[in-house]
Amino acid sequence: MPAGSLVPDTLLALRRWLDSSHLKPGARLPSERALAVQLQLNHYALNRAMNQLIQEGLIERNGYKLTYASRKRSHPAGFTCDLVLAWRSVLMPSYRKVARELGINLRVHLWHTLEDAISLLQQMNPSQVECLVFDPPYAYPPSSWEPAMQRLLQQGIPAVSIRQQANNIPCVLANHGKAMELLQTYLRNQGHTEIALVTIYPRATSSIEVLDAWRGGCATGGFGDSARRVLFQSGVHAIREDVLVLSNKLVGEWENVTAVINYSERYSFMPAFLQHIGRHHRVVPRDLSVICLGDMKQIQAAVPSVSVARFDIPLIHETAFRLAQRMSRMKNELGILPPPACIRVDAELVIRASSGAAPSFVPDADEAASHSRPEPQRMPYEVDRQELESVSRRTYDLAARAEESRFSAVNLSEFVNRPLAFQRGWLGDLPLKNMHAGRHVIHGVPFQVLGGAARNECGAVVFHSAINIVGNSQKLPDSITIPIGQKARALYVLHGCGYARYKHHFATYDFQMTGSKSIEAVPLICLGEPPPDDEDAWDPNSTTANIQDWWPDLPHLDYPHSRRAPIFENDSEDTRYRHVYLYTLEWINPKPDVEITHLEVKVDSSHSTTLGMLAVTALK
């Protein structure tokens, strides 16, 4: 094993290398992979250690580019702000830049999941935290993290949330409702009467505000039936299916629509949509105007250029820091925190090619009518690690009654095509650091997971999709035939999926006997992100879903013959709640006296949802 395979050793080695290299601030560092080879360090451990140095401000990351920042920064004595932020946030450079400009010593704490974020807030020590800014998960309602923030305020910690509002929590927000009214007023002045909205699901305050303002503006702005023309994006990712659904609607039931507004939080599929819609003979902006609420890199690079209601993100960050600093100052002067304040930042309208020529336009103040805000919808979430771990210990009835000797592992070594713990080693651009090779007992079933520590020691069978195409230098399969060769009472599959679309049938397990005759075919249907009005989605006995995206921000449920398996990251230094979800599938053989010759797995590779299989176990 390479030296420094543990994160503390690797961190020490990196510090020594930086001290001995005499780098000047702004100097470019080798890539992480090149540096791991040069220093003979484990790449995964180096990545974790590098993240620690980035949090400390010693190293700066811009994409894959690493630069030396040095420790020599001037900060006002005694003023430090803790920032609790998503580890993949594209806003990190803005936070750091604004903090430098304000002379703030910024301590960054990165969360991966909701549970991780709550745990970080709960660990804050009042004697060590001067003030705190929290950038919460947008996919969950404020009720999920509000108690943790309230506890900080009760302990006397000046705490500010950003972009999301909760009861009695100081906050700085982008005024999404006002921005929507601004866009609708602009489109009405341009002569549009039939418009449509593409948005994320209304769970967080920002997305609820957008939908509420949309409906109110359509009702009062002369947009006819447009209030009902709402398409919800499939989830946190921008995927091909969303482009197809919107394009088909615009040449079908929405053929009279002349303008589309898009609101996305992290990913927008508008650039791909602009390329695709021309095939349906609707030209932007001649036949269709497109305008976005919020500006992001994908939108800025789109062709044609896209009109936006743009928020000054650095101003929002600066306002949050200054509000936290003011609260800290008043606490020191008065001994108590001031009453909670809520500051809203309005959007600027930027007209570009996607909506035609820009008229002389000033929004009418009378149009900014306030609308009542509905209560955020609650999503199921869990914050207790012991409870999450107990989910994986709940056994299937058949498995609970079976002796160990009745289980046998099905050999997948011929089919594995991707490693687990390397970059791009799992379903997408992230490794599955949570699952190590070897024996795992999940839901009462022993599973043998293959693979190893090396890049070429594959442990997963990943299938071809519109997003995942190549594995182990070869094209990923659309189908495989796995030999079983035994009679079995049941078969169990440990698997996961990514880029899940709502109730989408994306693959099939076909259990077959001699002569390639099917015993039974089981469709794999992912839950995805259920729309707000689908009550059946939360009833495991009525929905058709039996698997879900591995990403923990989506809702996860147990079903009669498939169950969620929270898998925690194997990191002895970090015992918080970092986890992802795999699923198990139980197939009870209706013909237990007939030999199962093989299992045929087929996927629909034209769709984005990707299947990854880790193990199969037979119950004799």
Side-chain angles (χ1 to χ4, degrees), residues 345-367:
V345 176
D346 287 342
E348 168 195 14
L349 187 62
V350 180
I351 302 303
R352 299 174 181 145
S354 68
S355 62
S360 176
F361 173 66
V362 177
D364 188 347
D366 293 336
E367 296 294 333

Side-chain angles (χ1 to χ4, degrees), residues 457-499:
E457 293 179 307
C458 296
V461 187
V462 177
F463 289 83
H464 184 200
S465 72
I467 290 179
N468 285 275
I469 301 172
V470 177
N472 205 18
S473 301
Q474 297 180 358
K475 181 182 176 182
L476 295 174
D478 294 87
S479 65
I480 62 172
T481 300
I482 303 172
I484 305 296
Q486 60 181 296
K487 296 178 181 180
R489 182 71 182 87
L491 285 179
Y492 297 89
V493 182
L494 176 63
H495 55 190
C497 73
Y499 308 98

Side-chain angles (χ1 to χ4, degrees), residues 362-399:
V362 177
D364 188 347
D366 293 336
E367 296 294 333
S370 62
H371 306 291
S372 61
R373 309 289 184 215
E375 286 296 316
Q377 297 187 22
R378 294 180 178 270
M379 285 183 63
Y381 65 94
E382 297 162 291
V383 297
D384 184 85
R385 175 165 183 153
Q386 291 184 348
E387 183 180 350
L388 278 174
E389 289 177 331
S390 71
V391 169
S392 294
R393 293 194 293 268
R394 298 171 187 165
T395 60
Y396 290 104
D397 290 341
L398 277 180

Side-chain angles (χ1 to χ4, degrees), residues 511-526:
F511 301 90
Q512 299 187 3
M513 56 187 181
T514 303
S516 297
K517 294 181 179 179
S518 177
I519 302 174
E520 187 175 18
V522 177
L524 289 189
I525 301 175
C526 47

